Amino acid sequence: MHSRVKGVRPHHVIADIWLANFVGSMILLAEYLYVLPFPDEASGPEVTRANVILSIICILISWAVLAVVGGTMAHRALDWTVRDDDPDECEQHLTLYLPWRLFQLQVVMWAISC
């Protein structure tokens, strides 16, 4: 085992992605609440409250999907780092394509939320 690769746990990867998505969601929420001009009929307190609740629900659902689907992908790809073993050819492929697959998953989740 190479000493420079130590136990990259799947939950580390998922926590980083959760944080990035949380920051992105908060930026979008701030833009929605304070930056974008809306007509008076679309900017009442009921509409704002409903949209904030909907955005929180979308965030929680996307986090759950990311934990289940992304966590499984990360575990399969990074298990060799936890085992303290060299990766086989399949694990190398999974590890190298993990960022791309997680990106695709996030694109789908953001598209569904939109």
Side-chain angles (χ1 to χ4, degrees), residues 14-26 55-72 105-106 109-110 113:
I14 299 303
D16 287 343
I17 294 172
W18 274 349
L19 177 62
N21 282 300
F22 177 76
V23 169
S25 300
M26 293 302 106
S55 68
I56 291 170
I57 290 170
C58 286
I59 290 168
L60 294 176
I61 289 171
S62 68
W63 279 5
V65 169
L66 183 62
V68 173
V69 177
T72 302
L105 177 62
Q106 291 176 81
M109 295 310 302
W110 277 89
S113 294

